[in-house]
Amino acid sequence: MRPSGRNLSDMRPISIETGVMRHAEGSCLISCGDTKVLCSATIEEKAPPFLKGSGQGWVTAEYGMLPRATNSRNRREAAAGKQSGRTQEIQRLIGRALRAGVDRRALGERQIVIDCDVIQADGGTRCASITGGWVALRLAVNKLLKANIITTDPIMDHVAAVSCGIYAGQPIVDLDYAEDSEAGTDGNFILTGSGRLIEVQMAAEGATFSRPEMNQLLDLAEAGIAQLVAAQKAAVA
């Protein structure tokens, strides 16, 4: 039995509330159980210098966690004077994942910055950031299309992410903190809405895992992603 009482294949309750930030071109508050992430999209009418003259745009991300997002206070990284390695790794992951679903030439020479701020953490914050970040990106691109700033939709597919792992010897989906901290194997799966793989991060945290177990986790991830994509579609409808 999972600590939450969920079945092995049960996702946490998912909700996505859009338009939560007045000034952002796209925004949402995504809740995956008790994990809550505020995602916003900002359109900048210039591409990064390394893309100047290429005709291509860019999607990038920044990630942060509020001091009391966890059960004890974390010092603000601004106060420490630098970002942690974990923060840098996560925001690069979010950017990579979202760019995989975008035709950057159709976007034109502009940049969209996705900000993901964790206001409450209970496991799976990077996955929630990717899933919610896509919604904020979709809403921002809708504004570009509506204003005829671009004429071709650059978003090729949905992008969503979910965690899976081996907990107490059983494969489970959408780990909360209690499960994540005790899992023998932990992984993050990022897929498109059509089921194409973007990135898989898998690690044996306390015990090695077999090929059949990895296949089981991928099956769970695909089913979980389908639920997340359905929530994305409902949010941006």
Side-chain angles (χ1 to χ4, degrees):
M1 179 66 69
R2 303 175 69 172
S4 62
R6 287 183 285 153
N7 291 325
L8 302 180
S9 59
D10 284 351
M11 297 279 287
R12 291 175 289 181
I14 306 159
S15 71
I16 305 176
E17 180 185 357
T18 60
V20 295
M21 299 182 73
R22 176 181 178 183
H23 301 293
E25 283 77 36
S27 67
C28 74
L29 175 63
I30 182 168
S31 300
C32 299
D34 285 332
T35 288
K36 301 179 185 297
V37 184
L38 184 63
C39 303
S40 64
T42 301
I43 299 170
E44 298 179 345
E45 285 300 326
K46 61 178 181 179
F50 67 88
L51 287 175
K52 187 174 180 179
S54 69
Q56 297 183 67
W58 193 247
V59 177
T60 189
E62 293 189 11
Y63 168 96
M65 189 175 291
L66 296 185
R68 280 317 306 266
T70 55
N71 58 10
S72 61
R73 186 182 188 276
N74 292 305
R75 187 184 183 195
R76 294 182 189 273
E77 293 186 339
K82 63 178 182 179
Q83 290 182 315
S84 69
R86 176 183 182 273
T87 294
Q88 293 181 54
E89 184 265 326
I90 290 175
Q91 61 191 26
R92 288 170 184 159
L93 171 68
I94 298 167
R96 284 198 306 274
L98 295 178
R99 284 194 297 274
V102 172
D103 178 346
R104 290 166 42 216
R105 192 164 294 278
L107 182 60
E109 283 195 38
R110 58 180 50 83
Q111 175 169 262
I112 301 181
V113 181
I114 308 298
D115 286 292
C116 302
D117 293 286
V118 180
I119 62 177
Q120 186 166 279
D122 186 37
T125 61
R126 71 187 67 194
C127 292
S129 295
I130 291 167
T131 304
W134 184 91
V135 171
L137 175 64
R138 173 75 272 178
L139 295 172
V141 167
N142 285 350
K143 289 194 174 183
L144 290 173
L145 290 165
K146 186 175 181 180
N148 289 319
I149 296 172
I150 57 175
T151 56
T152 301
D153 188 355
I155 296 184
M156 302 181 293
D157 204 345
H158 288 255
V159 174
V162 70
S163 63
C164 296
I166 309 289
Y167 174 81
Q170 296 290 329
I172 60 172
V173 67
D174 195 17
L175 285 68
D176 56 30
Y177 178 76
E179 295 164 338
D180 184 51
S181 60
E182 297 292 333
T185 296
D186 183 24
N188 298 300
F189 294 79
I190 308 167
L191 280 73
T192 67
S194 58
R196 302 282 294 178
L197 289 164
I198 295 174
E199 189 160 338
V200 176
Q201 299 178 327
M202 288 286 294
E205 301 286 348
T208 57
F209 56 97
S210 66
R211 175 66 176 271
E213 286 174 327
M214 185 172 180
N215 291 341
Q216 287 180 297
L217 295 178
L218 181 55
D219 289 342
L220 288 171
E222 288 178 336
I225 293 290
Q227 294 182 50
L228 292 169
V229 169
Q232 288 177 329
K233 288 180 178 178
V236 301

